[in-house]
Amino acid sequence: MPKMIVSIDEVVIKEVQITKDRTSLGRRPYNDIVIDNLAVSGEHASIRMTGSDVVIEDLNSTNGTYVNGRAVKQQQLHHGDRIEIGKYKIRFMVDNAPAGTFETTQMAKPRPMVTVTVAAPLHAAQAAPEPLEAAPAPEPQGNPSRAASIRVLTGGAAGREVPLTKIVTTIGKPAIAVAAITKRYQGFVVHHVEGGGNPMLNGGIIGPDPMPLKNGDIIELAGTRMQFVQV
């Protein structure tokens, strides 16, 4: 019987048997697999089982669904596949699969699901963006993405440049204003995650819906002005 093993920082926190024709995954409590994290959409993805075939489908989530390091809209799963959603990794396993078909994940006693804040706290004197610990975004075959970064223009960290090499990078100050920059196949997008600090993109308010970024765009967040640079 197929199952999902959910882990963070290489520690397993939940195992879910796939027994239904459709299993939902997301941040909202009514999902079959609940991942309480701001990087996860309320209804992020669904897992459909037809006979022995299991397919995962991204439900137009904000930060995307990744299988074995590649962003997918819909993908059939095989024993040992690794799904990445935010900072969480989910291993797909089939009990009757041949032994030795995937690398061993460190196991620990399951513990209650905990809330993991997406944004990393910043020191008061350093209003600079901090990247999440996430797997590097893959380069699309035949259409390699251009390197990008965030350059801090104001504040004590003015002049600092943070490469956007992660799938999701959060910037800002927790409880004040936090935004997330996501690397997608079509380019980078930014959206508001939390806080009431009215983050701005080129003078317009950044809302919860993803907004595309282009070279030279100015982001204002938590009193700091930053520039999106793509070469």
Side-chain angles (χ1 to χ4, degrees), residues 207-219:
D209 295 327
M211 300 177 67
L213 288 169
K214 63 181 183 300
N215 183 45
D217 280 351
I218 300 297
I219 300 171

Side-chain angles (χ1 to χ4, degrees), residues 190-209:
V190 61
H191 70 97
H192 187 197
V193 175
E194 66 174 356
N198 293 327
M200 311 284 284
L201 175 64
N202 298 327
I205 294 177
I206 299 175
D209 295 327

Side-chain angles (χ1 to χ4, degrees), residues 14-130:
K14 179 181 290 191
E15 293 189 13
V16 180
Q17 296 282 348
I18 305 301
T19 59
K20 301 165 57 177
D21 291 340
R22 183 183 186 277
T23 300
S24 61
L25 185 154
R27 192 176 71 251
R28 302 299 183 194
Y30 53 74
N31 286 285
D32 300 301
I33 302 176
V34 178
I35 301 180
D36 192 2
N37 186 288
L38 291 174
V40 180
S41 297
E43 297 179 4
H44 197 103
S46 67
I47 297 105
R48 292 181 288 104
M49 183 168 62
T50 305
S52 60
D53 293 334
V54 179
V55 174
I56 188 168
E57 179 180 3
D58 182 80
L59 301 178
N60 297 317
S61 65
T62 300
N63 292 320
T65 300
Y66 293 77
V67 177
N68 300 327
R70 296 186 63 85
V72 300
K73 176 60 180 176
Q74 186 169 299
Q75 176 73 42
Q76 183 171 349
L77 296 175
H78 302 281
H79 180 71
D81 280 350
R82 186 169 68 176
I83 303 160
E84 296 177 20
I85 295 178
K87 294 179 69 174
Y88 287 81
K89 294 179 174 59
I90 305 172
R91 180 74 74 176
F92 176 72
M93 294 179 60
V94 181
D95 288 341
N96 60 354
T101 56
F102 75 100
E103 57 184 312
T104 302
T105 300
Q106 177 182 347
M107 301 293 289
K109 293 182 179 179
R111 62 188 183 187
M113 178 66 68
V114 295
T115 300
V116 180
T117 303
V118 175
L122 299 178
H123 297 295
Q126 183 189 9
E130 292 291 341

Side-chain angles (χ1 to χ4, degrees), residues 101-170:
T101 56
F102 75 100
E103 57 184 312
T104 302
T105 300
Q106 177 182 347
M107 301 293 289
K109 293 182 179 179
R111 62 188 183 187
M113 178 66 68
V114 295
T115 300
V116 180
T117 303
V118 175
L122 299 178
H123 297 295
Q126 183 189 9
E130 292 291 341
L132 281 175
E133 294 178 1
E139 300 292 347
Q141 292 184 355
N143 183 26
S145 61
R146 295 149 56 198
S149 61
I150 286 291
R151 180 181 299 153
V152 183
L153 302 178
T154 62
R160 181 182 177 187
E161 194 159 320
V162 178
L164 299 174
T165 58
K166 313 294 184 180
I167 295 172
V168 181
T169 301
T170 55

